[in-house]
């Protein structure tokens, strides 16, 4: 079974879902963590999780799109 890792953390759910859509359009499965937390702006933020095997490719896509 593959492990998941945190790719990036965003201050809003909207930002996280934009990144999720971009990554998934490139075939990278994602999980959004903390999306139901009412205190997202105050605490951890909304994290995008990816499979560890997809981390390098996901980081490259974020860099190419100036999203990190």
């Amino acid at each position: 079974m593959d492990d998941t890792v945190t790719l990036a953390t965003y201050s809003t759910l909207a930002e996280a879902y934009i990144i999720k859509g971009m990554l998934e359009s490139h075939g990278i499965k994602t999980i959004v963590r903390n999306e139901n937390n009412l205190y997202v702006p105050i605490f951890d933020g909304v994290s995008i999780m990816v499979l560890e095997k997809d981390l390098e490719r996901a980081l490259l896509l974020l860099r190419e799109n100036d999203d990190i």
Side-chain angles (χ1 to χ4, degrees):
M1 182 172 177
D2 290 321
D3 291 326
T4 57
V5 293
T6 300
L7 172 66
T9 302
Y10 298 92
S11 58
T12 69
L13 188 57
E15 288 176 294
Y17 268 91
I18 289 169
I19 300 304
K20 175 182 175 65
M22 184 270 294
L23 292 171
E24 290 187 348
S25 73
H26 285 89
I28 298 174
K29 293 181 182 180
T30 64
I31 298 169
V32 177
R33 195 184 80 193
N34 290 339
E35 66 183 310
N36 293 320
N37 184 346
L38 296 175
Y39 302 103
V40 164
I42 299 169
F43 295 108
D44 292 341
V46 182
S47 297
I48 298 289
M49 312 285 291
V50 297
L51 295 175
E52 191 171 20
K53 68 180 182 76
D54 293 329
L55 180 61
E56 289 301 319
R57 186 166 166 239
L59 286 170
L60 179 62
L61 286 167
L62 290 182
R63 285 186 196 109
E64 287 176 355
N65 291 287
D66 294 322
D67 289 320
I68 59 170

